[in-house]
Amino acid sequence: MLEFCTSFILIIVLVYPAQKFIILVARLLNKHLPENTPLLPNLPMKTATSQLKLKQGHANPKETQLAVRGAIVVSGFIAAAITGFTWWIPILIWVVIIRSVE
């Protein structure tokens, strides 16, 4: 039970660093890869754009949903990495629950 509660707090605390990490990855991909590279590089770019629009107050509901989901997933991955993937089950449960609440 302690792991379950601690993993929730860890995910919530790591949302802001996750947003910064997504924006950093998008900037690095934008510098080093050609524009419209298929699939994987476009996802961080879209997520980072959605987060920047959300921060400025210009995001539509779809962009808001993408920004929140991306931040929660990355936050869960960072939390799992911090715990050495020993608490990955409670973290995965919380990520699924938080993503489905929207």
Side-chain angles (χ1 to χ4, degrees):
M1 186 67 180
L2 180 65
E3 293 174 355
F4 198 68
C5 294
T6 307
S7 63
F8 175 74
I9 292 169
L10 194 58
I11 289 170
I12 297 303
V13 167
L14 290 173
V15 167
Y16 182 74
Q19 290 175 335
K20 293 297 183 184
F21 180 74
I22 290 170
I23 292 171
L24 175 73
V25 168
R27 284 183 183 159
L28 289 174
L29 288 175
N30 192 24
K31 278 185 179 178
H32 298 292
L33 291 177
E35 192 172 329
N36 294 329
T37 304
L39 266 180
L40 187 59
N42 286 339
L43 184 61
M45 292 299 292
K46 288 179 183 177
T47 306
T49 303
S50 298
Q51 287 183 359
L52 290 173
K53 284 185 178 181
L54 183 65
K55 191 179 217 180
Q56 297 169 353
H58 301 294
N60 62 31
K62 197 74 162 172
E63 291 171 336
T64 302
Q65 189 178 35
L66 180 63
V68 170
R69 285 184 176 178
I72 292 297
V73 169
V74 172
S75 174
F77 185 75
I78 293 170
I82 287 173
T83 62
F85 293 96
T86 56
W87 293 357
W88 71 272
I89 293 176
I91 290 171
L92 180 64
I93 291 169
W94 276 119
V95 166
V96 170
I97 289 171
I98 294 170
R99 283 192 60 195
S100 66
V101 169
E102 296 180 273

